[in-house]
Amino acid sequence: MRSSSKNNAINIINRIASLGIIVGALCLFVVLSVFSGLIDFSLSFSNTIDPDLKVTATLGKSFVIAPEQEQKIKDIEGVAAFSKVIEERVLFVFNNKEEVTYLKGVDSLFTNVSTIKNGIYQGEWFENNTVQVVVGRGIADKLSIGLLDVNNVLEVYVPKPGKGAIETPDNAFNKSILVPSGVYAISEDLDSKYVFADFAIAQRLLEFKPGQVSAIEIKFKPDADEEKITEKLQSIFKNKITVKNRAQLNDALYKMLRTENLAIYLIFTLVIILILFAFAGAIIMMILDKKANLKTLYNLGAEPSDLRRIFLLQGTLLCVKGGLIGLAIGSLIVLVQQHFQLVMITESLAYPVVFSLMNIIIVLGTIITLGFLASLIASSRISQKMLE
């Protein structure tokens, strides 16, 4: 690994091949770290609203939670807080402008489960037992809503449940007047999705019975066991509920991010494969350069398989060495960006990166595996015919 060949051209080829492995490992690690940062950055928006666990009905849009079931949820180890929620798509009208989106009625414990208050950029969270609501920035822009505007009120219309013919429009909807007290801004999609209101308002509009809810949202304590909590919840509700974590609530987003991550990994792996073609060529050049020495070893009793293992081991160790050097440089770049934020997207937002042990394992595993295969292919050139 350390010795040089008498042929200077071979030395140059070896250095170029080794440099290619270092750069390949460096680039793959940096790109994976950047994409890990972008994934965390993208998911941070939905995490502002989404709970650790969300319990919904397996059949239908709602279910009933009894007081004793609430107490059992409180007693589950690992549950920090939970909130009852009523959620439904409804019609909002403001100054003859209309928007169909979700009304989310939440109880007083909701802010213990969600960090939505951190997303309010104008006004404040609504007061309990009032007609105040908090709207998304996208909804506020579409309807041109002002805060605490008593002259122009926000109206909400919800279709009445039941059967039979509708005789007049007034009999078709439950209606309420709302007063926006705050506007939240998280992301473009979420800002146009929810209007948060007091639980009692949503309960009245949808004519829900006492204890009837659309969902229960749960926040974990640190080091909580998600699997055990899910099992206990299913036991409390006799397996008539569906329990989803954040990844399952944002299944489409997670799938998209995982697919993009895999695509980027495969693209850079292809680049490394092309680099290792040059590396395999360098090993073949070394074999040809040492042909006389190999014949001597063969005449002394060495088997061709023993000679192949020499170059297989040499090539694999060179890949390990190059991979470790590339990872060391890449780790330094990622850590510097993570702590000192040298590369910026905007004046206030640094390019997100995440230093992950998993990315180190992926890069090192990729380099070693592909390097081993390249060395195996190159060392197979040593044959009985060549030695004789």
Side-chain angles (χ1 to χ4, degrees), residues 33-133:
S33 298
V34 168
F35 201 79
S36 295
L38 289 173
I39 289 175
D40 285 359
F41 181 72
S42 300
L43 296 178
S44 65
F45 297 119
S46 61
N47 290 346
T48 303
I49 287 182
D50 291 334
D52 293 323
L53 277 185
K54 187 170 184 176
V55 179
T56 56
T58 302
L59 296 174
K61 289 187 174 183
S62 65
F63 62 100
V64 176
I65 175 172
E68 56 269 21
Q69 290 175 318
E70 290 188 43
Q71 186 59 49
K72 287 180 180 179
I73 295 174
K74 290 178 184 177
D75 295 337
I76 296 176
E77 184 179 354
V79 172
F82 74 93
S83 172
K84 293 181 290 184
V85 171
I86 295 176
E87 186 175 325
E88 186 58 83
R89 281 179 70 89
V90 299
L91 172 66
F92 292 96
V93 179
F94 185 83
N95 276 349
N96 297 321
K97 295 181 180 179
E98 299 178 354
E99 180 71 14
V100 176
T101 190
Y102 283 94
L103 173 70
K104 188 165 184 175
V106 297
D107 61 18
S108 58
L109 298 175
F110 181 73
T111 52
N112 295 334
V113 175
S114 171
T115 58
I116 182 63
K117 275 190 174 181
N118 297 335
I120 294 179
Y121 87 103
Q122 188 177 358
E124 57 186 14
W125 188 251
F126 64 81
E127 295 183 8
N128 295 322
N129 301 315
T130 66
V131 293
Q132 293 180 355
V133 293

Side-chain angles (χ1 to χ4, degrees), residues 167-188:
E167 297 179 357
T168 63
D170 292 337
N171 294 332
F173 295 94
N174 288 325
K175 174 185 173 183
S176 181
I177 294 174
L178 306 175
V179 179
S181 64
V183 178
Y184 71 87
I186 299 172
S187 69
E188 186 175 350

Side-chain angles (χ1 to χ4, degrees), residues 138-187:
I139 299 170
D141 290 343
K142 288 177 184 176
L143 299 181
S144 303
I145 293 175
L147 297 184
L148 301 174
D149 186 354
V150 294
N151 296 320
N152 299 291
V153 293
L154 176 65
E155 296 176 308
V156 56
Y157 293 87
V158 181
K160 287 183 178 180
K163 299 178 180 179
I166 299 173
E167 297 179 357
T168 63
D170 292 337
N171 294 332
F173 295 94
N174 288 325
K175 174 185 173 183
S176 181
I177 294 174
L178 306 175
V179 179
S181 64
V183 178
Y184 71 87
I186 299 172
S187 69

